[in-house]
Amino acid sequence: RCEIAPDPEPEPVACGYIHDLLPLLRPDYAEIIRRVDLEDTPRQRVAAELGLTTNNVGVRLHRARRALRIEIERHCQGGP
């Protein structure tokens, strides 16, 4: 008897418009979000490639996410 495994749960996908909002951020913020959050690049690797400490990558990522949140709120509220 052959059993068919159920389809795996779909992985969460970032809202499509996030990619559209990245250009509105500072380039270094957009890059950190793209690499860490969207491409799942480990922070240690990003730090090494950008010549930063892992702690500094965390700080930049926090600031970048805050800036992105502001843009998402503007987008969702129909603001400029």
Side-chain angles (χ1 to χ4, degrees), residues 1-44:
R1 181 177 112 161
C2 185
E3 291 186 27
I4 299 174
D7 289 335
E9 291 292 320
E11 292 185 24
V13 177
C15 295
Y17 64 85
I18 288 177
H19 290 281
D20 296 336
L21 297 176
L22 286 180
L24 300 177
L25 303 178
R26 288 177 25 177
D28 57 329
Y29 286 179
E31 179 179 13
I32 231 68
I33 287 175
R34 180 183 52 78
R35 294 180 74 179
V36 174
D37 289 336
L38 302 178
E39 296 175 358
D40 257 352
T41 306
R43 290 182 188 197
Q44 296 84 356

Side-chain angles (χ1 to χ4, degrees), residues 45-60:
R45 182 173 165 194
V46 172
E49 291 174 356
L50 296 178
L52 304 169
T53 65
T54 304
N55 186 53
N56 191 258
V57 168
V59 169
R60 287 186 187 197

